[in-house]
Amino acid sequence: VERLLAQPQGEEPLPLRDRAMLELAYGSGLRVSELCGLRRADLDLGARLVTVVGKRDKQRVVPFGRAAERALRAWLERGRDRLAVRGRAAGHRDHEHVFTNARGGPLSRVGFWTILRGHARAAGIAARVHPHALRHSFATHLLHGGADLRVVQELLGHASVTTTAIYTHLDRAYLREVHRTFHPRA
């Protein structure tokens, strides 16, 4: 994840957008459809919160961290409008989507996937990286850090804790370390 997040470099609109997308995806655990559908009004940069409408039209508010905030501010202040101008010049009407494609239109799920794969390859990541990987990493890292399963369920927007429980499949070395650290007779 660290290599992937560090990959988009530069101050041009596309690297600014890509850095903001990757940071927000990892920092909030949003689904790709939620990320691509975000509107400017959904973001509260000051409070570092994003409001999303997930599956079954269920609305939730999700926090994100400082890295995502910095990346989003850079994108919105120095990159987004430069791409939106391209879109208007090409005849697209302006929209309120946070993330745009290179032509200034709304970014699609397939567009996000293409961007993600390109950055994974450029970062030297040999494994096939799919859009859900950032969401999975978000949940796994929270759980490894000690977050309550029910909190992670709420952040991910899962209706059932059973769905969230798939992220609890931890490697054996980690389980041994936790047991050794916390069990009185380890």
Side-chain angles (χ1 to χ4, degrees), residues 68-151:
E69 177 198 2
R70 282 190 302 271
L72 282 163
R73 282 190 191 281
W75 159 242
L76 293 171
E77 293 169 5
R78 299 192 312 268
R80 188 191 178 284
D81 288 342
R82 290 167 61 190
L83 291 186
V85 167
R86 290 182 193 173
R88 286 191 297 276
H92 298 292
R93 63 182 186 86
D94 203 3
H95 53 82
E96 286 297 310
H97 286 90
V98 173
F99 298 111
T100 65
N101 60 30
R103 294 175 309 282
L107 183 70
S108 70
R109 295 175 69 228
V110 173
F112 177 81
W113 193 338
T114 303
I115 291 163
L116 178 66
R117 272 192 317 206
H119 286 302
R121 230 175 301 141
I125 300 169
R128 186 171 175 189
V129 177
H130 52 89
H132 197 75
L134 291 168
R135 183 170 163 86
H136 181 84
S137 296
F138 166 81
T140 302
H141 292 160
L142 282 173
L143 291 168
H144 275 219
D148 181 81
L149 186 62
R150 295 265 183 207
V151 171

Side-chain angles (χ1 to χ4, degrees), residues 12-172:
E12 292 300 310
L14 295 178
L16 289 173
R17 178 206 59 196
D18 296 355
R19 191 167 34 255
M21 283 190 314
L22 295 176
E23 286 286 357
L24 185 60
Y26 173 65
S28 64
L30 298 183
R31 294 176 179 96
V32 175
S33 57
E34 295 168 344
L35 186 76
C36 292
L38 277 183
R39 307 245 177 205
R40 287 179 160 193
D42 299 330
L43 286 176
D44 182 343
L45 292 176
R48 292 197 314 264
L49 296 171
V50 59
T51 302
V52 294
V53 177
K55 290 184 176 179
R56 293 175 213 84
D57 290 328
K58 185 179 173 190
Q59 187 181 59
R60 70 186 192 283
V61 177
V62 183
F64 55 87
R66 286 181 195 89
E69 177 198 2
R70 282 190 302 271
L72 282 163
R73 282 190 191 281
W75 159 242
L76 293 171
E77 293 169 5
R78 299 192 312 268
R80 188 191 178 284
D81 288 342
R82 290 167 61 190
L83 291 186
V85 167
R86 290 182 193 173
R88 286 191 297 276
H92 298 292
R93 63 182 186 86
D94 203 3
H95 53 82
E96 286 297 310
H97 286 90
V98 173
F99 298 111
T100 65
N101 60 30
R103 294 175 309 282
L107 183 70
S108 70
R109 295 175 69 228
V110 173
F112 177 81
W113 193 338
T114 303
I115 291 163
L116 178 66
R117 272 192 317 206
H119 286 302
R121 230 175 301 141
I125 300 169
R128 186 171 175 189
V129 177
H130 52 89
H132 197 75
L134 291 168
R135 183 170 163 86
H136 181 84
S137 296
F138 166 81
T140 302
H141 292 160
L142 282 173
L143 291 168
H144 275 219
D148 181 81
L149 186 62
R150 295 265 183 207
V151 171
V152 176
Q153 174 191 358
E154 183 68 26
L155 291 173
L156 292 174
H158 288 160
S160 168
V161 75
T162 306
T163 307
T164 312
I166 63 169
Y167 299 108
T168 62
H169 296 291
L170 308 173
D171 64 79
R172 292 173 196 260

